[in-house]
Coordinates of all heavy atoms in Angstrom, one line a residue:
A1 N 18.8 -66.3 89.2 CA 19.2 -67.7 88.9 C 20.2 -67.8 87.8 O 20.9 -68.9 87.7 CB 17.9 -68.5 88.4
H2 N 20.4 -66.7 87.0 CA 21.4 -66.8 85.9 C 22.7 -66.0 86.3 O 23.6 -65.9 85.4 CB 20.8 -66.2 84.7 CG 19.7 -67.0 84.1 ND1 19.8 -68.0 83.2 CD2 18.3 -66.9 84.4 CE1 18.7 -68.5 82.9 NE2 17.7 -67.9 83.6
L3 N 22.8 -65.6 87.5 CA 24.1 -64.9 87.9 C 25.2 -65.9 87.9 O 25.1 -67.1 88.1 CB 23.9 -64.2 89.3 CG 22.9 -63.1 89.3 CD1 22.7 -62.6 90.8 CD2 23.3 -61.9 88.5
P4 N 26.5 -65.4 87.7 CA 27.6 -66.3 87.6 C 28.1 -66.8 89.0 O 27.9 -66.2 90.0 CB 28.7 -65.4 87.0 CG 28.3 -64.0 87.5 CD 26.8 -64.0 87.5
A5 N 28.6 -68.0 88.9 CA 29.4 -68.6 90.0 C 30.8 -68.2 89.8 O 31.2 -67.5 88.8 CB 29.2 -70.1 90.0
A6 N 31.7 -68.6 90.7 CA 33.1 -68.3 90.6 C 33.7 -68.8 89.3 O 33.5 -69.9 88.9 CB 33.9 -68.9 91.8
G7 N 34.5 -67.9 88.7 CA 35.1 -68.3 87.4 C 34.3 -68.2 86.2 O 34.6 -68.8 85.2
E8 N 33.2 -67.4 86.3 CA 32.3 -67.2 85.2 C 32.0 -65.8 84.8 O 32.0 -64.9 85.7 CB 30.9 -67.9 85.5 CG 31.0 -69.4 85.6 CD 29.6 -70.0 86.0 OE1 28.7 -69.3 86.3 OE2 29.6 -71.3 86.0
M9 N 31.7 -65.5 83.5 CA 31.2 -64.2 83.1 C 29.9 -64.5 82.3 O 29.8 -65.3 81.4 CB 32.2 -63.6 82.2 CG 31.7 -62.2 81.6 SD 33.0 -61.1 81.0 CE 33.5 -62.0 79.5
V10 N 28.9 -63.8 82.7 CA 27.6 -63.9 82.1 C 27.2 -62.6 81.3 O 27.3 -61.5 81.9 CB 26.5 -64.2 83.2 CG1 25.1 -64.2 82.5 CG2 26.7 -65.5 83.9
L11 N 26.9 -62.8 80.1 CA 26.5 -61.6 79.2 C 24.9 -61.6 79.2 O 24.3 -62.6 78.6 CB 27.1 -61.8 77.8 CG 28.6 -62.2 77.8 CD1 29.0 -62.3 76.3 CD2 29.4 -61.1 78.5
F12 N 24.3 -60.6 79.7 CA 22.8 -60.5 79.7 C 22.4 -59.8 78.4 O 22.6 -58.6 78.3 CB 22.3 -59.8 80.9 CG 22.1 -60.7 82.1 CD1 23.2 -60.8 83.0 CD2 21.0 -61.4 82.3 CE1 23.0 -61.6 84.2 CE2 20.8 -62.2 83.4 CZ 21.8 -62.3 84.4
D13 N 21.8 -60.6 77.5 CA 21.3 -60.0 76.3 C 19.8 -59.6 76.6 O 18.9 -60.3 76.5 CB 21.3 -61.0 75.1 CG 20.8 -60.5 73.8 OD1 20.4 -59.3 73.8 OD2 20.8 -61.2 72.8
R14 N 19.7 -58.3 77.0 CA 18.5 -57.8 77.7 C 18.6 -58.3 79.2 O 19.2 -59.4 79.5 CB 17.2 -58.2 77.1 CG 17.0 -57.7 75.7 CD 16.9 -56.2 75.6 NE 16.5 -55.7 74.3 CZ 16.3 -54.5 73.9 NH1 16.6 -53.5 74.8 NH2 16.0 -54.1 72.7
S15 N 18.0 -57.6 80.1 CA 18.1 -58.0 81.5 C 16.9 -57.5 82.3 O 15.8 -57.3 81.7 CB 19.4 -57.2 82.0 OG 19.2 -55.8 82.0
W16 N 17.2 -57.3 83.6 CA 16.1 -56.8 84.4 C 15.6 -55.4 84.0 O 14.6 -54.9 84.4 CB 16.5 -56.8 85.9 CG 17.9 -56.2 86.2 CD1 18.2 -54.9 86.4 CD2 19.1 -57.0 86.4 NE1 19.6 -54.8 86.7 CE2 20.1 -56.1 86.7 CE3 19.4 -58.4 86.3 CZ2 21.4 -56.5 86.9 CZ3 20.7 -58.8 86.6 CH2 21.7 -57.8 86.9
Y17 N 16.4 -54.7 83.1 CA 15.9 -53.4 82.6 C 14.8 -53.5 81.7 O 14.3 -52.5 81.2 CB 17.1 -52.7 82.0 CG 18.0 -52.1 83.1 CD1 19.2 -52.8 83.5 CD2 17.7 -51.0 83.8 CE1 20.0 -52.3 84.5 CE2 18.4 -50.4 84.8 CZ 19.6 -51.1 85.1 OH 20.4 -50.6 86.2
N18 N 14.3 -54.7 81.3 CA 13.1 -54.8 80.6 C 11.9 -54.1 81.2 O 11.1 -53.5 80.5 CB 12.7 -56.3 80.4 CG 13.4 -57.0 79.3 OD1 14.0 -56.3 78.4 ND2 13.5 -58.3 79.3
R19 N 11.9 -54.1 82.5 CA 10.8 -53.4 83.2 C 10.8 -51.9 83.0 O 9.7 -51.3 82.9 CB 10.9 -53.7 84.7 CG 9.9 -52.9 85.6 CD 9.2 -53.8 86.5 NE 8.3 -54.8 85.9 CZ 7.7 -55.7 86.6 NH1 7.7 -55.7 87.9 NH2 6.9 -56.6 86.0
A20 N 12.0 -51.3 82.8 CA 12.0 -49.9 82.6 C 11.9 -49.5 81.2 O 11.7 -48.3 80.8 CB 13.4 -49.3 83.1
G21 N 12.0 -50.5 80.3 CA 11.9 -50.2 78.8 C 10.6 -50.8 78.2 O 9.5 -50.2 78.3
V22 N 10.7 -52.0 77.6 CA 9.6 -52.6 76.9 C 8.4 -52.8 77.7 O 7.3 -52.5 77.3 CB 10.1 -53.9 76.2 CG1 10.4 -54.9 77.2 CG2 9.0 -54.4 75.2
E23 N 8.6 -53.3 79.0 CA 7.4 -53.5 79.8 C 6.6 -52.2 80.1 O 5.4 -52.2 80.2 CB 7.8 -54.2 81.1 CG 8.3 -55.7 80.9 CD 8.5 -56.4 82.2 OE1 8.0 -55.9 83.2 OE2 9.2 -57.4 82.2
R24 N 7.4 -51.2 80.3 CA 6.8 -49.9 80.6 C 6.1 -49.3 79.4 O 4.9 -48.9 79.4 CB 7.8 -48.9 81.1 CG 7.3 -47.5 81.4 CD 8.3 -46.6 81.9 NE 7.7 -45.4 82.4 CZ 8.4 -44.4 83.0 NH1 9.7 -44.4 83.0 NH2 7.8 -43.3 83.4
V25 N 6.8 -49.3 78.3 CA 6.3 -48.6 77.1 C 5.1 -49.4 76.5 O 4.1 -48.8 76.1 CB 7.4 -48.5 76.0 CG1 6.8 -47.9 74.7 CG2 8.5 -47.5 76.5
M26 N 5.1 -50.7 76.6 CA 4.1 -51.5 76.0 C 3.0 -51.8 76.9 O 2.0 -52.5 76.6 CB 4.7 -52.8 75.4 CG 5.7 -52.6 74.4 SD 5.2 -51.6 73.0 CE 3.8 -52.6 72.4
G27 N 3.0 -51.3 78.2 CA 2.0 -51.5 79.1 C 1.9 -52.8 79.8 O 0.9 -53.2 80.4
F28 N 3.1 -53.6 79.8 CA 3.1 -54.9 80.5 C 3.3 -54.7 82.0 O 3.2 -55.7 82.7 CB 4.2 -55.7 79.9 CG 4.0 -56.0 78.4 CD1 5.1 -56.2 77.5 CD2 2.7 -56.2 77.9 CE1 4.9 -56.4 76.2 CE2 2.5 -56.5 76.5 CZ 3.6 -56.6 75.7
A29 N 3.7 -53.5 82.4 CA 3.9 -53.3 83.8 C 3.2 -52.0 84.2 O 3.1 -51.1 83.4 CB 5.4 -53.1 84.1
T30 N 2.6 -52.0 85.4 CA 1.9 -50.8 85.8 C 2.9 -49.7 86.3 O 4.1 -49.9 86.5 CB 1.0 -51.2 87.0 OG1 1.9 -51.5 88.1 CG2 0.1 -52.3 86.7
D31 N 2.4 -48.5 86.4 CA 3.2 -47.4 86.9 C 3.8 -47.7 88.2 O 4.9 -47.3 88.6 CB 2.4 -46.1 86.9 CG 2.1 -45.5 85.5 OD1 2.8 -46.0 84.6 OD2 1.2 -44.7 85.4
T32 N 3.0 -48.3 89.1 CA 3.4 -48.7 90.4 C 4.6 -49.7 90.4 O 5.6 -49.5 91.1 CB 2.3 -49.3 91.3 OG1 1.2 -48.4 91.4 CG2 2.8 -49.7 92.6
Q33 N 4.5 -50.6 89.5 CA 5.6 -51.6 89.3 C 6.9 -50.9 88.8 O 8.0 -51.3 89.2 CB 5.2 -52.7 88.4 CG 4.1 -53.7 89.0 CD 3.6 -54.7 88.0 OE1 3.4 -54.4 86.8 NE2 3.4 -55.9 88.4
V34 N 6.7 -50.0 87.8 CA 7.8 -49.4 87.2 C 8.5 -48.5 88.3 O 9.8 -48.5 88.4 CB 7.4 -48.5 86.0 CG1 8.6 -47.6 85.6 CG2 6.9 -49.4 84.9
Q35 N 7.8 -47.7 89.1 CA 8.4 -46.9 90.1 C 9.0 -47.7 91.2 O 10.1 -47.3 91.7 CB 7.3 -46.0 90.7 CG 6.8 -44.9 89.7 CD 7.9 -44.2 89.0 OE1 8.8 -43.7 89.6 NE2 7.8 -44.0 87.6

């Protein structure tokens, strides 16, 4: 929903990689979800 339309640049301050980082380390995501 936050991806750019034509003529835009979006800077993601953290992104979908939360799942591979904080969610994984802090146990907010299961091993199945991470894989």
Side-chain angles (χ1 to χ4, degrees):
H2 295 270
L3 293 175
E8 295 179 350
M9 178 163 70
V10 177
L11 313 177
F12 277 91
D13 185 356
R14 300 291 191 184
S15 66
W16 45 84
Y17 282 100
N18 278 340
R19 174 132 297 178
V22 63
E23 290 187 19
R24 177 182 192 177
V25 174
M26 299 306 299
F28 300 146
T30 65
D31 289 341
T32 299
Q33 289 174 322
V34 171
Q35 294 308 314

